[in-house]
Amino acid sequence: MSTDEQPVLASELQSSLAPHFYSSESVFALERERLFHAQWFCVGRAEQLPTRGHCLHVHVAAESVLILRQKDDSLRAFYNVCRHRGSRLVRTPPLPDPDQPSATCSASMTGGVVCPYHAWTYNLDGSLRAAPHVQFDSTCPKDGFSLVPVHVATWGGFIFVNLSATPEQSLLEQIAVPVRKLERYPLSDLRRGAQLTYDVRANWKVIMENYNECYHCAPVHPELCALVPAFRERGGAGLDWDDGIPHRSGAWTFTLSGSSNRAPFPGLSDKEKNHHKGEVAYPNLLLSAAAEHVAAFMLWPMAPDHTRIACEFLFHPDEIAKAHFDPADVIEFWDVVNRQDWQICESVQDGMRSRGFRGGFYAPMEDPSLDIRRYLERHLGDLSQVS
């Protein structure tokens, strides 16, 4: 062992979250209320609603939400609930749907949103257009029966919703760090070239913590470390995520070969053309930026021990338009790395169920993982009081 690779002292270990944070239904219910519903939650890409009347149907931690493209090209979002008797307006499977991962929720709704129960019909802006055999007047106006709105905003081509009555922060305030660090990547211009959807039997925080550290990279990811040797050095300590992490000599992007016939994104810095950047937009968006593609992971917490993950592969439209465009090199690499991650996360989740698990520890090289504790403390309060 070289002098610059001295091991950390065991006394430097810090306690991780208590075991019940990864398995408790009551903790998950609190997170649903204060994190997934009260903060900006990523639900898709704007390109999934290409023209007026297109609709995106999503479930945000058990709440069903519709996003509709308006006549003026803006987006509006509403609870998927008819104001008459509470029927679901759209009953197709919500995104992400493992059986149809690339679909929007339904056909274009240029004619309005029609409730399948009693045919109450709503305009794209959520206002009630008509209710069969019901007459409205000044004493009971039609505008009192509009769909209940949900806050919606976009950044970098991603759609976010916020289910609180009044968001504590704007979207850009909430995700200020990734906005700053990825400012030269043309995220808004990128388009989906492929998508993989996974069901992972692990708590969403296990997945977040795993993404936030590279202490595990050497034992878990041989292909990744062959491409980015820095990930296995010193247990993944001291990685400069602001400037990005360099690839091995001769490599410049995240494929098994380390290269691609796709051109780097325009406007990147010299380092960004051959370095990798990874960012987190809490509570549910993970971004892995290479020189010619971005892998975007949207986490959909389904239960304390179940997370659905939609992995979107985003490319420049000029490259997608080329006759030889083929994202298979990116998909092949990421599917290997992803499955390694999901398998180890499921092993962690399974191990934490044991009566022999008394709580984990963070080593100094895992300091980014501590962000999950800091994040939870900001929004849940004193974690010692959360049960």
Side-chain angles (χ1 to χ4, degrees):
M1 180 179 295
S2 64
T3 56
D4 62 347
E5 291 190 50
Q6 293 300 316
V8 301
L9 299 175
S11 59
E12 297 180 79
L13 298 176
Q14 296 190 45
S15 297
S16 65
L17 292 166
H20 68 276
F21 274 89
Y22 303 97
S23 59
S24 166
E25 290 283 357
S26 61
V27 170
F28 188 73
L30 184 64
E31 292 171 339
R32 181 168 55 233
E33 183 67 25
R34 297 192 187 178
L35 304 181
F36 312 138
H37 292 172
Q39 295 182 49
W40 294 99
F41 188 97
C42 188
V43 296
R45 294 283 295 174
E47 67 189 88
Q48 293 173 265
L49 298 97
T51 58
R52 171 183 175 266
H54 271 91
C55 172
L56 192 64
H57 174 208
V58 297
H59 272 185
V60 181
E63 280 290 356
S64 184
V65 175
L66 303 178
I67 300 100
L68 294 165
R69 177 73 70 181
Q70 303 294 298
K71 295 179 181 179
D72 63 0
D73 203 41
S74 65
L75 298 177
R76 295 195 65 179
F78 307 94
Y79 287 99
N80 182 26
V81 178
C82 180
R83 291 297 307 280
H84 173 216
R85 295 275 295 281
S87 171
R88 294 301 191 195
L89 298 164
V90 172
R91 294 181 291 179
T92 56
L95 292 179
D97 179 1
D99 297 322
Q100 294 182 303
S102 298
T104 51
C105 74
S106 64
S108 177
M109 294 185 173
T110 52
V113 182
V114 182
C115 178
Y117 195 7
H118 298 96
W120 281 39
T121 303
Y122 300 86
N123 296 309
L124 297 179
D125 64 1
S127 60
L128 180 64
R129 179 188 301 174
H133 314 295
V134 176
Q135 181 175 335
F136 298 91
D137 56 28
S138 58
T139 63
C140 191
K142 207 167 15 176
D143 59 15
F145 296 87
S146 298
L147 297 180
V148 178
V150 169
H151 299 282
V152 61
T154 61
W155 164 75
F158 294 99
I159 304 171
F160 297 77
V161 297
N162 189 309
L163 276 59
S164 63
T166 305
E168 294 181 0
Q169 294 179 298
S170 70
L171 171 61
L172 294 184
E173 288 172 334
Q174 179 178 307
I175 61 172
V177 173
V179 168
R180 173 176 58 82
K181 292 185 178 180
L182 299 175
E183 62 182 351
R184 284 182 292 274
Y185 291 81
L187 295 175
S188 295
D189 298 333
L190 304 186
R191 294 294 179 266
R192 177 201 284 173
Q195 182 191 57
L196 296 173
T197 305
Y198 306 89
D199 276 301
V200 184
R201 302 306 306 190
N203 185 270
W204 70 279
K205 295 186 294 299
V206 171
I207 296 165
M208 280 284 193
E209 288 175 320
N210 180 77
Y211 185 83
N212 272 348
E213 53 94 350
C214 222
Y215 190 21
H216 75 282
C217 288
V220 174
H221 298 306
E223 296 84 359
L224 178 61
C225 290
L227 180 65
V228 186
F231 283 163
R232 64 179 171 225
E233 297 169 0
R234 296 180 293 157
L239 297 172
D240 186 355
W241 288 108
D242 283 348
D243 277 347
I245 314 304
H247 296 71
R248 69 169 182 259
S249 177
W252 58 275
T253 190
F254 264 34
T255 60
L256 288 173
S257 69
S259 62
S260 169
N261 61 8
R262 293 175 293 274
F265 298 136
L268 298 182
S269 69
D270 289 341
K271 279 192 173 181
E272 288 167 339
K273 291 178 182 178
N274 55 33
H275 283 50
H276 166 75
K277 286 190 173 183
E279 291 298 328
V280 175
Y282 285 108
N284 77 312
L285 178 62
L286 311 176
L287 295 169
S288 181
E292 46 67 60
H293 75 271
V294 171
F297 301 82
M298 296 178 203
L299 274 55
W300 301 79
M302 311 292 284
D305 61 351
H306 179 196
T307 306
R308 184 164 293 167
I309 302 175
C311 181
E312 309 267 353
F313 300 105
L314 307 177
F315 300 88
H316 198 281
D318 290 349
E319 296 297 323
I320 293 176
K322 293 179 178 178
H324 63 258
F325 173 74
D326 182 0
D329 55 347
V330 169
I331 297 170
E332 180 184 9
F333 178 81
W334 273 111
D335 195 38
V336 168
V337 174
N338 289 346
R339 291 182 185 278
Q340 291 166 343
D341 275 326
W342 311 154
Q343 184 178 44
I344 202 66
C345 286
E346 290 182 338
S347 176
V348 169
Q349 186 74 29
D350 189 46
M352 289 192 298
R353 294 187 181 98
S354 170
R355 71 177 74 187
F357 181 67
R358 311 297 169 81
F361 298 92
Y362 294 124
M365 69 283 283
E366 297 176 278
D367 185 66
S369 291
L370 295 176
D371 283 351
I372 197 73
R373 285 194 319 190
R374 300 172 188 132
Y375 173 72
L376 293 178
E377 286 170 347
R378 287 199 303 272
H379 300 287
L380 304 186
D382 184 353
L383 300 185
S384 68
Q385 303 300 311
V386 176
S387 60

